[in-house]
Amino acid sequence: MSFSVEERGKPNTKSYRLFFKNAQGKYISPFHDIPMFADESQNIFHMVVEVPRWTNAKMEIATKDLLNPIKQDEKKGKLRYVANVFPHKGYIWNYGAIPQTWEDPSHKDGDTGCCGDNDPIDVCEIGSRVCSRGDVIKVKILGVLAMIDEGETDWKVIAINVDDPEAKDLNNISDVKRLKPGYLEATVDWFKWYKSA
């Protein structure tokens, strides 16, 4: 299963959009038309990369737009960027979403006591490769971080690209702690800073 993307407009503008096409060249929605599972029998998921590692523009699947292209998020009419948090530049992982998932705003989570944020489930992909915006990769889930953002549950899945050289050695969150010391702590610190900025 292969996908391609088509850019419209200039990056870092309100008109920029990244549309998705299937192997036949037909426009599709990355939210609805890309399968959640790449291999359900092996618990391998698809991930749509919205923000490549080391970049600052806060990009997201436009869940309310026709065909759900990726666009830059806005707040109070201004394009959103994340600040550099020393010693990191921009996002410290490839950031994106699992297609065909949704955090239900009417369902109260038993662990957080809050309802969902009305968006697809977010993924922090921790492999060594820097992806491109719009890549659709296959990931193995290693763990999950529960965040509460403005009273809403916002899960962050920690995953690794199955094609990454480290993927065979990373199978759970304990492996991440052992083989990438400090990475999970940096992730928590990054989100604390980002959410308070």
Side-chain angles (χ1 to χ4, degrees):
M1 186 170 284
S2 65
F3 306 96
S4 60
V5 291
E6 176 185 298
E7 286 186 299
R8 295 187 191 169
K10 288 179 60 177
N12 304 306
T13 67
K14 293 182 180 185
S15 63
Y16 177 82
R17 298 290 185 275
L18 187 70
F19 287 89
F20 287 73
K21 295 180 180 181
N22 63 15
Q24 292 73 43
K26 180 183 174 193
Y27 288 101
I28 61 165
S29 160
F31 187 22
H32 299 292
D33 299 325
I34 295 173
M36 175 173 47
F37 285 103
D39 184 344
E40 190 170 2
S41 68
Q42 298 294 311
N43 277 328
I44 305 299
F45 292 80
H46 281 121
M47 171 189 173
V48 176
V49 177
E50 297 164 310
V51 185
R53 179 186 285 121
W54 311 138
T55 63
N56 298 79
K58 185 176 180 347
M59 309 299 292
E60 61 182 18
I61 294 171
T63 58
K64 294 176 178 59
D65 289 10
L66 184 66
L67 292 172
N68 311 118
I70 290 177
K71 70 175 185 177
Q72 191 164 353
D73 190 25
E74 294 179 45
K75 190 171 190 176
K76 297 181 180 175
K78 293 185 177 181
L79 295 174
R80 293 183 70 190
Y81 297 88
V82 300
N84 296 325
V85 180
F86 183 81
H88 312 292
K89 180 190 181 309
Y91 284 73
I92 64 174
W93 356 253
N94 295 300
Y95 189 78
I98 298 174
Q100 297 190 13
T101 62
W102 179 58
E103 296 193 56
D104 187 346
S106 66
H107 171 76
K108 185 180 279 192
D109 185 271
D111 292 315
T112 66
C114 297
C115 295
D117 70 353
N118 202 31
D119 280 325
I121 294 175
D122 298 321
V123 183
C124 301
E125 192 279 317
I126 66 170
S128 55
R129 180 177 149 232
V130 176
C131 293
S132 296
R133 184 179 301 142
D135 281 354
V136 179
I137 61 174
K138 299 173 183 177
V139 297
K140 168 170 57 168
I141 293 177
L142 306 173
V144 66
L145 173 65
M147 300 203 49
I148 298 174
D149 184 13
E150 296 179 6
E152 297 174 328
T153 300
D154 188 8
W155 291 101
K156 306 297 182 188
V157 170
I158 309 298
I160 189 164
N161 187 335
V162 297
D163 295 327
D164 191 275
E166 295 179 310
K168 65 184 183 335
D169 299 319
L170 294 169
N171 296 297
N172 55 50
I173 212 70
S174 296
D175 291 339
V176 177
K177 289 177 182 174
R178 183 172 49 86
L179 297 172
K180 290 181 171 273
Y183 204 167
L184 294 175
E185 292 81 359
T187 294
V188 170
D189 287 346
W190 191 96
F191 277 115
K192 281 181 184 173
W193 193 93
Y194 164 70
K195 295 298 182 184
S196 64

